[in-house]
């Protein structure tokens, strides 16, 4: 009887410690990355982990998925991209850049594509555009599925950037672009900011942290 009581007490103590650790764990953390000419800053939910990063010429990409998932098999992904020098492209704008990305989605699923523009915005002094785009049926990945993304484009001082929060789900005739969860996820990513790269400054880049 004594041994059983001790075991129950130990189990209760371990559960209390686990609950305390979970309560102390941050729900999100600030991500600040030097990408080409500027620092890109936003809030990352703590249950995501970076799984891929690459710079190829003037194109940068970093992908984060839910902990335990992989770049090949995932249900949610937060992607950051940078396009070096793109502001020099005649007629470029955050809305046009978003349209180009949406066009790539549409070409993958012309019969089940949908988009919902949320409109122009500003991130500090920088122009941006927000939309929700998606495919009801797409064949990339291990099985046919829907794929919908909150798309944020930002026009920096010399480069363009995107932050995308994508989710895969069961295939359907139309992706859930009107779901209110996308507004919630936009708030979860905020504040979003572009900051100058200060010579000699190292991570965690206090000049950018102190702006918010």
């Amino acid at each position: 009887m004594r041994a059983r009581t001790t075991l129950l007490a130990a189990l209760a103590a371990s559960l209390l410690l686990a609950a305390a650790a979970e309560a102390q764990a941050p729900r999100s953390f600030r991500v600040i990355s030097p990408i080409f000419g500027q620092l890109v800053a936003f809030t990352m939910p703590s249950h995501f982990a970076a799984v891929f990063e690459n710079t190829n010429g003037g194109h940068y990409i970093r992908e984060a998925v839910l902990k335990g998932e992989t770049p090949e098999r995932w249900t949610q992904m937060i992607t950051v991209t940078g396009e070096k020098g793109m502001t020099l492209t005649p007629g470029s704008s955050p809305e046009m850049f978003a349209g180009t990305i949406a066009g790539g989605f549409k070409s993958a699923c012309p019969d089940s594509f949908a988009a919902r523009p949320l409109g122009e915005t500003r991130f500090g002094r920088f122009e941006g555009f927000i939309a929700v785009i998606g495919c009801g049926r797409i064949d990339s990945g291990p099985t046919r599925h829907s794929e919908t993304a909150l798309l944020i484009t930002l026009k920096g001082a010399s480069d363009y950037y995107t932050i995308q929060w994508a989710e895969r789900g069961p295939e359907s005739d139309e992706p859930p672009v009107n779901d209110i969860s996308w507004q919630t996820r936009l708030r979860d990513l905020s504040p979003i900011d572009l900051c100058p790269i200060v010579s000699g400054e190292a991570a965690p880049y206090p000049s950018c942290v102190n702006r918010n």
Side-chain angles (χ1 to χ4, degrees):
M1 184 68 179
R2 173 64 179 169
R4 181 181 177 187
T5 302
T6 303
L7 178 61
L8 289 174
L11 178 60
S14 65
L15 289 173
L16 286 172
L17 287 172
E22 184 176 351
Q24 293 173 3
R27 293 173 60 96
S28 60
F29 57 95
R30 189 78 165 147
V31 176
I32 305 175
S33 304
I35 303 175
F36 299 130
Q38 288 179 276
L39 299 172
V40 179
F42 67 98
T43 302
M44 175 84 81
S46 60
H47 53 291
F48 280 81
V51 291
F52 178 77
E53 183 177 30
N54 186 53
T55 302
N56 185 2
H59 176 71
Y60 170 88
I61 185 169
R62 185 177 71 247
E63 297 172 341
V65 299
L66 295 176
K67 291 179 178 179
E69 297 185 347
T70 69
E72 294 76 30
R73 291 181 175 269
W74 54 270
T75 57
Q76 294 187 53
M77 177 181 285
I78 295 176
T79 304
V80 182
T81 70
E83 299 295 337
K84 188 175 183 179
M86 190 176 169
T87 61
L88 299 176
T89 303
S92 65
S93 72
E95 183 174 2
M96 290 184 65
F97 188 27
T100 300
I101 296 170
F105 262 74
K106 188 174 183 178
S107 65
C109 60
D111 298 328
S112 64
F113 173 80
R116 177 188 169 207
L118 301 183
E120 298 177 355
T121 188
R122 298 193 74 88
F123 299 96
R125 65 186 182 90
F126 297 101
E127 300 173 21
F129 188 84
I130 303 171
V132 183
I133 60 176
C135 290
R137 288 182 298 275
I138 193 169
D139 291 322
S140 67
T143 60
R144 177 177 283 192
H145 56 272
S146 66
E147 190 167 318
T148 313
L150 172 68
L151 170 62
I152 303 162
T153 59
L154 303 95
K155 181 181 180 180
S158 60
D159 313 311
Y160 267 79
Y161 304 97
T162 76
I163 301 172
Q164 303 172 49
W165 189 332
E167 182 172 17
R168 288 175 172 174
E171 62 174 298
S172 62
D173 292 334
E174 184 175 309
V177 295
N178 294 308
D179 196 287
I180 60 173
S181 64
W182 300 111
Q183 292 283 3
T184 301
R185 288 172 180 173
L186 177 59
R187 290 193 297 270
D188 289 344
L189 292 170
S190 301
I192 297 169
D193 204 359
L194 298 179
C195 310
I197 295 177
V198 178
S199 178
E201 184 182 49
Y205 306 106
S207 64
C208 198
V209 173
N210 295 338
R211 292 164 64 95
N212 300 291

